[in-house]
């Protein structure tokens, strides 16, 4: 189950398994991912043609020369960007951390970098630094902030990995790129924006153990509390990262996170309308948390700086559900019953939470495999905590609930152990 969800190189560094620096993250469970860059301008189309695949890969998929792609910067003017609104949305959704692309594979920096002119302040009419504005808002509204940084692929930099249509890979100095470009940029990101909770590296590809190790050390030296995700590579990250949109079949003996999309793309694409339903997203969150993981759910704002309305609506629906049921998510651990057809379980202290995705028609809930010392059952949505009739015999627990599902997406029953 681990093998198909978490690649070895992206697994957790074994010594990090019980590191208390991760405690806030272990409790947080739910974060907002933001993919935002120049690719939001073509939004999936190049020279009138639909380019298949995820939006932020358009430069590679359409093999757009650097000289052409970089001209997008002159058009990038996201006047509707409002850091306060983005942070407020994450808070409303019940997300506890926010991770935004500082530099994706296309090499464009969405922050003010002294290492290049290919950044939002130097190369666009916008001239503002969204990461500075988000950092200030995260401080103000009390949200942890992390930066995504593509450490290996950089299709703009002559020595970065991945662009074989402008550059000859045999001539590239990847080691020099890491030393003289990646490290100074990581230094900027961990120096100029206050406390950074996570650096989210990605697509480690051929990065060496020494290179991953030295990046890890640089992060720790600059901000000892900053977590480094598993896509640093070489099994050196603080926590494991699954493949995109992949949920393990069961529990995993690691701290792990699933990065995932609400539609199919990460970066904005005009014609991607394949939105997952709120019900599906709530159940995915519960599924992940029931197995001990975190859910990092993505939005792809437009070139104007607007988060698509379908994403907003779904995040708000998740937040509304969490408002009532957050106790069964935040700070919980993997539940005692795995793989049940009726739903999922999570646990905290002396409580077990049954998450019923499909409510039985007669309201009679029958579960096997629970501990036999249960003393009370009640609906988490019931502030009065009115006990539901509960009986246990021969390893089977029966709870009598209302005939109608109190929540069509996931009704949570709290079981208290003696
Ligand atoms: O190539 C990237 C992709 O564009 C996106 O950033 C995702 C997010 O997890 N990571 C890579 C693919 O796994």
């Amino acid at each position: 189950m681990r093998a198909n969800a978490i690649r070895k190189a992206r697994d957790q560094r074994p010594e990090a398994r019980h590191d208390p620096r991760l405690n806030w993250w272990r409790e947080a469970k739910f974060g907002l991912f933001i993919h935002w860059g120049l690719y939001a301008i073509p939004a999936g189309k190049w020279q009138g043609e639909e380019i298949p695949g995820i939006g932020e890969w358009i430069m590679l998929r359409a093999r757009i020369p650097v000289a052409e792609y970089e001209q997008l910067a002159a058009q990038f003017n996201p006047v509707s960007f409002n850091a306060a609104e983005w942070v407020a949305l994450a808070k409303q959704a019940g997300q506890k951390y926010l991770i935004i692309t500082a530099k994706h594979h296309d090499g464009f920096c969405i922050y003010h970098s002294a290492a290049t002119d290919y950044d939002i302040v130097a190369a666009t009419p916008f001239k503002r630094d969204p990461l500075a504005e988000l950092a200030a808002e995260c401080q103000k509204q009390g949200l942890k902030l992390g930066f995504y940084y593509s450490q290996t692929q950089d299709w703009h930099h002559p020595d970065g990995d991945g662009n074989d249509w402008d550059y000859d890979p045999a001539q590239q100095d990847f080691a020099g790129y890491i030393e003289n470009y990646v490290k100074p940029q990581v230094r900027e990101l961990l120096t100029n924006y206050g406390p950074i909770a996570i650096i989210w590296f990605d697509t480690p590809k051929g990065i060496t153990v020494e290179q991953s190790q030295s990046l890890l050390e640089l992060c720790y030296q600059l901000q000892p509390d900053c977590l480094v995700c598993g896509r640093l590579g070489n099994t050196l990250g603080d926590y494991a990262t699954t493949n995109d949109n992949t949920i393990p079949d069961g529990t995993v003996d690691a701290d792990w996170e699933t990065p995932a999309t609400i539609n199919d793309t990460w970066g904005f694409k005009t014609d991607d309308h394949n939105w997952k339903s709120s019900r599906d997203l709530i159940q995915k969150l519960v599924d992940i948390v029931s197995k001990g993981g975190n859910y990092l759910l993505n939005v792809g704002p437009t070139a104007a700086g607007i988060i698509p309305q379908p994403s907003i609506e779904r995040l708000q629906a998740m937040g509304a559900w969490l408002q009532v049921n957050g106790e069964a998510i935040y700070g919980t651990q993997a539940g005692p019953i795995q793989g049940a057809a009726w739903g999922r379980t999570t646990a905290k202290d002396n409580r077990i939470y049954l998450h019923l995705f499909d409510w039985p028609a007669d309201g009679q809930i029958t579960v096997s495999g629970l501990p036999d010392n249960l003393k009370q059952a009640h609906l988490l949505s019931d502030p009065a905590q009115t006990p539901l009739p509960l009986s246990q015999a021969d390893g089977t627990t029966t709870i009598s609930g209302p005939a109608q599902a109190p929540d069509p997406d996931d009704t949570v029953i709290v079981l208290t152990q003696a």
Side-chain angles (χ1 to χ4, degrees):
M1 78 188 56
R2 186 182 196 121
N4 67 12
I6 301 170
R7 291 186 227 170
K8 177 94 184 74
R10 297 163 175 207
D11 212 332
Q12 183 175 35
R13 189 176 74 255
E15 312 85 77
R17 181 70 180 100
H18 301 288
D19 188 337
R21 291 182 318 120
L22 279 86
N23 283 349
W24 73 264
W25 183 90
R26 292 183 181 115
E27 291 190 6
K29 301 296 177 194
F30 190 27
L32 179 67
F33 214 178
I34 303 179
H35 276 66
W36 196 38
L38 296 183
Y39 38 79
I41 298 174
K45 293 194 182 87
W46 195 251
Q47 293 172 345
E49 240 182 81
E50 181 76 32
I51 307 298
I54 45 185
E56 70 283 4
W57 274 69
I58 195 166
M59 182 177 175
L60 181 139
R61 293 270 152 77
R63 301 178 76 78
I64 304 169
V66 164
E68 265 179 61
Y69 188 89
E70 66 184 5
Q71 287 174 25
L72 291 171
Q75 299 169 44
F76 196 65
N77 195 16
V79 288
S80 299
F81 167 69
N82 183 320
E85 286 175 10
W86 288 14
V87 173
L89 176 65
K91 298 259 322 181
Q92 206 187 352
Q95 294 166 312
K96 304 293 185 187
Y97 55 106
L98 178 162
I99 298 175
I100 182 164
T101 47
K103 184 194 81 161
H104 202 267
H105 309 329
D106 67 356
F108 180 73
C109 300
I110 205 91
Y111 73 99
H112 186 31
S113 174
T116 180
D117 281 342
Y118 196 44
D119 77 56
I120 192 160
V121 173
T124 77
F126 191 54
K127 298 196 188 307
R128 281 157 51 190
D129 181 339
L131 298 198
E133 295 180 26
L134 283 166
E137 271 305 321
C138 283
Q139 284 287 334
K140 194 165 148 192
Q141 297 191 41
L143 195 73
K144 300 262 189 192
L145 175 66
F147 294 144
Y148 171 111
Y149 185 87
S150 177
Q151 81 279 28
T152 301
Q153 296 196 71
D154 188 320
W155 307 325
H156 182 266
H157 194 289
D159 294 315
D161 178 282
N163 180 343
D164 60 3
W165 58 98
D166 282 291
Y167 309 123
D168 174 3
Q171 303 297 317
Q172 286 183 302
D173 174 15
F174 181 72
Y177 155 79
I178 292 280
E179 282 309 311
N180 306 318
Y181 192 67
V182 171
K183 287 188 182 172
Q185 290 207 316
V186 169
R187 183 177 286 279
E188 293 177 328
L189 291 170
L190 290 177
T191 305
N192 298 342
Y193 298 93
I196 298 305
I198 296 172
I199 287 284
W200 217 92
F201 291 116
D202 200 6
T203 62
K205 297 184 79 180
I207 194 168
T208 65
V209 176
E210 293 72 25
Q211 286 163 340
S212 293
Q213 181 71 41
S214 64
L215 279 174
L216 182 72
E217 282 163 12
L218 177 64
C219 294
Y220 288 166
Q221 177 206 324
L222 295 167
Q223 294 210 25
D225 289 333
C226 178
L227 305 180
V228 177
C229 92
R231 294 195 188 183
L232 168 67
N234 296 297
T235 325
L236 282 168
D238 286 311
Y239 63 83
T241 319
T242 70
N243 295 335
D244 294 344
N245 288 303
T246 304
I247 303 177
D249 295 340
T251 57
V252 178
D253 185 17
D255 294 296
W256 61 274
E257 177 186 67
T258 290
T261 51
I262 298 185
N263 48 354
D264 290 331
T265 186
W266 302 85
F268 178 71
K269 261 188 105 167
T270 316
D271 291 336
D272 181 347
H273 304 296
N274 193 23
W275 304 103
K276 295 167 188 73
S277 67
S278 304
R279 173 179 165 85
D280 187 13
L281 295 165
I282 289 168
Q283 294 187 355
K284 280 186 164 61
L285 169 67
V286 173
D287 186 23
I288 288 168
V289 174
S290 79
K291 294 166 181 167
N294 278 22
Y295 196 24
L296 181 61
L297 190 57
N298 183 73
V299 297
T302 66
I306 295 169
I307 296 177
Q309 191 59 26
S311 297
I312 293 177
E313 285 162 11
R314 283 154 180 80
L315 289 172
Q316 287 173 338
M318 296 178 85
W321 182 86
L322 280 162
Q323 194 71 40
V324 175
N325 298 291
E327 180 193 314
I329 296 291
Y330 305 119
T332 62
Q333 292 174 343
I337 298 175
Q338 294 288 322
W342 46 262
R344 297 289 178 267
T345 58
T346 54
K348 181 158 57 183
D349 304 325
N350 68 336
R351 291 182 158 202
I352 294 169
Y353 303 95
L354 303 183
H355 296 256
L356 285 114
F357 293 168
D358 294 305
W359 192 255
D362 57 1
Q364 293 297 305
I365 299 131
T366 308
V367 180
S368 52
L370 285 167
D372 59 10
N373 63 343
L374 301 178
K375 63 172 191 198
Q376 200 202 300
H378 68 266
L379 293 169
L380 183 53
S381 58
D382 175 10
Q385 304 193 4
T386 313
L388 299 172
L390 165 80
S391 62
Q392 294 198 281
D394 304 327
T396 300
T397 302
T398 307
I399 303 150
S400 301
Q404 289 289 316
D407 187 311
D409 300 325
D410 173 14
T411 299
V412 180
I413 293 179
V414 186
L415 300 174
T416 313
Q417 292 179 269

